[in-house]
Amino acid sequence: MSEGQPAEPSGAAAVWRWLIGPPLRARDVSKERITPVEGLPALSLDALTSVAYGPEAIIVVLAVAGASALHLVLPITITIVLLLAILVFSYRQVIDAYPNGGGAYAVSRANLGHGASLVAAAALVVDYTLTVAVSIAAGVAALTSAFPVLNQDTVVICLVILAVVTVLNLRGLGDAARAFLLPTMVFIVGLLIIIVIGLIHPLALHAPQPGVPLVPRVPLETVSVLLLLKAFSAGCSALTGVEAIANGVPQFKEPRVKRAKRTEMLLGTILGVMLLGLAVLADRWHIGPRSGQTVLSQIIAMAVGRNWAYYVMSLTITLVLALAANTSFGGLPVLGSLLAKDNYLPHLFSLRDDRQVFAPGIWTLSLASAVLLIAVRGNVLTLIPLFAIGVFTGFTLSQSGLVVHWWRTRPPRWEFRAALNGLGATVTAIATMVFILTKFTEGAWVVVIAVPALIFLLSRIHRYYRRVGRELGLGEIPGRPQARPALVVVPVATVSRLAQYAIGVARSISEHVIAVTVVLEDADGSTGRGRELEQEWARWDPGVPLHVLNTEYASVAEPLVAFIDQLCAHHDKQIVVLIPVVLPDRLRYEFLHNHYDLVLTAALRGHPDVVSARISMPLELADGDDPAGSG
Amino acid sequence: MSEGQPAEPSGAAAVWRWLIGPPLRARDVSKERITPVEGLPALSLDALTSVAYGPEAIIVVLAVAGASALHLVLPITITIVLLLAILVFSYRQVIDAYPNGGGAYAVSRANLGHGASLVAAAALVVDYTLTVAVSIAAGVAALTSAFPVLNQDTVVICLVILAVVTVLNLRGLGDAARAFLLPTMVFIVGLLIIIVIGLIHPLALHAPQPGVPLVPRVPLETVSVLLLLKAFSAGCSALTGVEAIANGVPQFKEPRVKRAKRTEMLLGTILGVMLLGLAVLADRWHIGPRSGQTVLSQIIAMAVGRNWAYYVMSLTITLVLALAANTSFGGLPVLGSLLAKDNYLPHLFSLRDDRQVFAPGIWTLSLASAVLLIAVRGNVLTLIPLFAIGVFTGFTLSQSGLVVHWWRTRPPRWEFRAALNGLGATVTAIATMVFILTKFTEGAWVVVIAVPALIFLLSRIHRYYRRVGRELGLGEIPGRPQARPALVVVPVATVSRLAQYAIGVARSISEHVIAVTVVLEDADGSTGRGRELEQEWARWDPGVPLHVLNTEYASVAEPLVAFIDQLCAHHDKQIVVLIPVVLPDRLRYEFLHNHYDLVLTAALRGHPDVVSARISMPLELADGDDPAGSG
């Protein structure tokens, strides 16, 4: 206590420390390497769980044209699965080319230049944020389908899940792939079993479905090409996340390229089978959108009934969707740190906190997702038109980058490889244009504005850092430091041991010391306190002159700052303002001291060439040995 | 810009400045002196407006015993008016004795000692807070009685009114008595006319009353002595504020004692007439409590019908109740400043802000009232049991203090004066006991806990300040300041012009300078960056040694602080930590710099004897002359 130790952390700080855990060393952070099976939970949850909203997105669009249009879900799904196949083979090549992790940002920076890499970065930022919001909203939709009573609290449940995911990531849970294995397997195996049951029991249990069918009696539109394109682009939300394995190649066990490619293949196969299976069942059972119940929930209920199996699957889906949101938390903060190291984001984003995670990136992602979830009131379908544009922009850029890469390096069979990635780039570029055109008025304009705005922001930041770098002469050998005599200004309020202590410290720094005091004029214009203090000072005679500043206003800082500016203008000395403060022995007593030091330091912040310094004098007396101290 | 001026205030700061106005000089603050008629709006609104809730409080209690018990409203009101008369004559004597303002705190401190003055202070704090909450809640009840559609938004409307009153007081509106004159006169004259109409038109317009009568069909209680006492103590809430004139004597024009006494008499007469008149009307018209409509609103509607006159009166009542809340904002901050000057509250409460108002007191009162209003959901009747205890405690203490005062000074007729104040003290002491006993379980326990808790807090604060005063040797002549050689530690991150500049400044302060850098070990335990920096340093050779600190954790501050603690332990030098920062030319760029200086300054805060200093290097280059700067 009397050694001036900072007080023990207060209640809130202690709770926070308990939540996120003690500080970690860099070497403490586990670097477990993963196998293809573990790769599914670690890197593919975003893609796999999109079966929870992709088919639904198609059906909702088609339902506008009435019940008969719902049959088109199957051909549209087949098209999407074909696109999936192209993407999977393209990304297997990305893995070959970038065994150190080929995110869209890295690939475009290496092959397409700064402009394209910024587009990729901005698109990825938008995409990561949307992935979190969409996954959590879809997870909560699965939950409220099973437990309709929770429907009213959708937004609150979304935010609670987001908060849990945020805290887990601030703890640093990035690599806990093994913990995610069980729910992922329950999800994959369970959903495949449900599809099989649905296919072999053509007249499955027809459980009564809650909710109201939302298929209009009279079709609102005829089945036009535009409607088909809209349904296709909505369904493409099921393909988001296919790129994640290529980004995460370094996380695999050796031979990592081989294992990563195998995982990509596994993901493609499972996702394709699921999408096709669900489309066949939706078609067979004439599943349309219903209020308060998701399409996936309807299919599960039709296949197995609303019994324990249905509830286990619903809870599992909620859980894996929350884990899918978690994978974005693995991605965005790392991307943010890369951008910060390249001077495109505030350097803050490249700093690890004491759990060795990039906390500013985690907080930013969490806040942005919370805003999105609140804005759409937790409704996943409102987010779908915004989704996929960012992802497909990233697809196009990495595939195009790969084409350039093959053309530059020309390995064996480079023409075939370039053609495959070229096909991927072309198809995804067309898809991106389709998304923007068909969904522009339904929300896609947000992304069309956000991505260029982000690019502008990133390049402005870059420009500022370049300027600072030049100003600071980074990379040059600077000249010799120049010294000059110092003049120390000590603000004092009264004659006391604090003033004595502060003047002692000031004399240690320089032989030129001035004490200054500010006297507030009272309502009658009297400044009697000033003369009083001058007399006390003369009686004390500490060997340092006292300068009294009178002011008519209530601010102490302003006259002091004006005085210091005057000194700067008339002296060639190095001005040092030394602010003495009393250091209470308990944190809770801080509130009893006027923090003039903070006010003054803030007021001096904008004044270059002035050293603003603070010295704390400890209060020595221990608490409690104050015999007369009962108030 | 390049002169290092602080950037112009940002949007929010500019709006705030516009709301509260430019800084004022002490002499700018108007000191208009008031006449008795102006004394009513300035000092008596709290008392006068209590007719809006006092009679209702009686009727609600009586209604529990059924419709027939409602007739007791008249005898109870007569008792309360008698008590009012005693109080008015007692307080006229307080004005005689304390022409400089005789608040309960000042009177008890002068006559009854510290203990009693603390009780008075704590009771007053509780009372001021409750007055704000009760007045605003009653004002909104008048509003929602007239416009039932607003009923759902009661709490929001309460908080908006509170916010407006808070901002006006932060501007400094304490003395704008003249502006309050018109609504106060409309309120007094209007209500008196309504009472007269009610009395001479015995069968007044029977306007249909909205809301459901809340008189139980079967009485829940018989009329017991306890019920009578409860109704009496609830009705005593109408007497709160009677003391305000005695507190505000210095605000009157000379001869101020005479004018203040005349105002007190005027207040007593008007309030007594109103209370009696309303009781007669309530009795005659069998007025009982109704949901969503106040008793006063019912009486007005019965007298004049629900026409323009009714709406004008309702809005006037809301306005004067808001102004009554405003008078507490005149009282608590001043009491807070007195307590702070006597070392019972943090000294912060005695500081005027740049509008010359005691802003911390205003904020505290506003926040506490907001919490109360939210806790009771804007329902004035929930607050009534808490109310009046604090006020009557204050009454008792000032009256008792006066008895001691007369006994000590013995002016002519002192025995009569002492007897009058003694009667006041006895009656209010009995009333206080009645309140506590009858309303304990209905909320009074909150006050019974809060007052002693506040007293404990105040005396703990006092004890701390006494200790600090001894420690600082206030009132003594300190010894001579002691100086010793200084050693300056400069944290650097890289070789740059910033390091050059900082070392120059450090050399100005002392010839003993060490540069220190912290190198974060990466995941592989490598600290190669440290050796690199040492080589660059050797090439530069600034004449100052570089000390490299390696750390396995992610914090830069901790190893630095540990290093400084080691230096302190092994040197007898005065350690100065000089933290260099880049000063961006625009405020918005601050976000692009890592504020290591803030982190380090915070970490060093608890370390006595170490000077923590900051030097800002301005970025000279103007924005825009960067030809290659398009990102």
Side-chain angles (χ1 to χ4, degrees), chain A residues 356-380:
Chain A
Q356 302 283 350
V357 299
F358 298 110
I362 294 174
W363 281 114
T364 307
L365 179 57
S366 182
L367 286 178
S369 317
V371 168
L372 267 181
L373 283 169
I374 292 169
V376 304
R377 296 175 182 231
N379 184 351
V380 66

Side-chain angles (χ1 to χ4, degrees), chain B residues 180-341:
Chain B
F180 296 0
L181 195 54
L182 181 68
T184 308
M185 285 304 134
V186 173
F187 170 71
I188 295 174
V189 175
L191 210 53
L192 290 176
I193 291 175
I194 282 162
I195 290 169
V196 171
I197 292 177
L199 292 176
I200 59 178
H201 274 271
L203 293 170
L205 313 149
H206 274 83
Q209 302 285 333
V212 184
L214 297 177
V215 184
R217 301 249 172 114
V218 180
L220 305 175
E221 286 189 36
T222 54
V223 179
S224 61
V225 175
L226 184 64
L227 191 78
L228 281 176
L229 287 177
K230 273 187 178 178
F232 164 76
S233 58
C236 279
S237 58
L239 301 184
T240 58
V242 167
E243 77 290 359
I245 293 167
N247 300 353
V249 185
Q251 294 178 40
F252 283 91
K253 278 189 184 148
E254 288 292 355
R256 59 191 189 190
V257 168
K258 214 166 175 181
R259 288 180 195 263
K261 285 171 79 173
R262 208 177 297 156
T263 312
E264 184 77 54
M265 203 65 208
L266 197 61
L267 161 67
T269 313
I270 297 175
L271 181 56
V273 168
M274 280 183 177
L275 287 174
L276 285 174
L278 291 176
V280 170
L281 294 184
D283 185 36
R284 177 174 298 178
W285 290 332
H286 313 295
I287 297 224
R290 292 180 84 87
S291 72
Q293 209 191 6
T294 65
V295 163
L296 187 59
S297 169
Q298 291 180 55
I299 291 176
I300 298 173
M302 296 282 269
V304 300
R306 287 180 84 88
N307 53 20
W308 65 268
Y310 167 82
Y311 287 106
V312 167
M313 270 315 283
S314 298
L315 289 175
T316 304
I317 291 168
T318 306
L319 181 59
V320 291
L321 277 160
L323 296 178
N326 185 66
T327 58
S328 267
F329 279 90
L332 184 90
V334 172
L335 174 67
S337 76
L338 292 177
L339 285 169
K341 275 182 195 138

Side-chain angles (χ1 to χ4, degrees), chain A residues 534-545:
Chain A
E534 272 170 344
Q535 286 162 10
E536 282 175 41
W537 199 267
R539 225 174 305 138
W540 176 27
D541 186 23
V544 155

Side-chain angles (χ1 to χ4, degrees), chain B residues 10-72:
Chain B
S10 74
V15 169
W16 184 245
R17 181 50 75 193
W18 175 81
L19 270 178
I20 71 159
L24 290 181
R25 292 177 300 184
R27 62 176 65 167
D28 294 338
V29 178
S30 71
K31 283 178 293 291
E32 34 171 334
R33 301 291 181 195
I34 52 180
T35 62
V37 172
E38 289 163 0
L40 290 178
L43 297 167
S44 315
L45 270 182
D46 174 16
L48 287 173
T49 55
S50 53
V51 299
Y53 44 84
E56 172 142 27
I58 303 174
I59 287 172
V60 166
V61 173
L62 291 177
V64 173
S68 64
L70 289 176
H71 288 294
L72 292 168

Side-chain angles (χ1 to χ4, degrees), chain A residues 4 27 463-466 471-472 484 497 501 508-509 521 592-593 605-606 609 612 614 621 628-629, chain B residues 4 27 463-467 471-472 484 497 501 508-509 521 592-593 605-606 609 612 614 628-629:
Chain A
R27 61 176 68 166
R463 180 174 151 187
Y464 177 78
Y465 277 129
R466 281 226 317 246
E471 284 293 304
L472 296 183
R484 51 186 176 157
R497 273 184 223 148
Y501 179 78
S508 306
I509 290 176
E521 207 170 83
L592 299 179
H593 294 276
R605 192 160 181 89
D609 262 1
S612 84
R614 197 192 58 209
L621 200 74
Chain B
R27 62 176 65 167
R463 181 174 151 188
Y464 177 78
Y465 277 130
R466 282 228 315 247
R467 176 157 84 80
E471 283 293 303
L472 295 184
R484 50 186 176 159
R497 272 183 224 150
Y501 179 78
S508 307
I509 291 176
E521 208 169 83
L592 300 179
H593 294 276
R605 190 160 181 91
D609 264 359
S612 84
R614 196 194 57 210

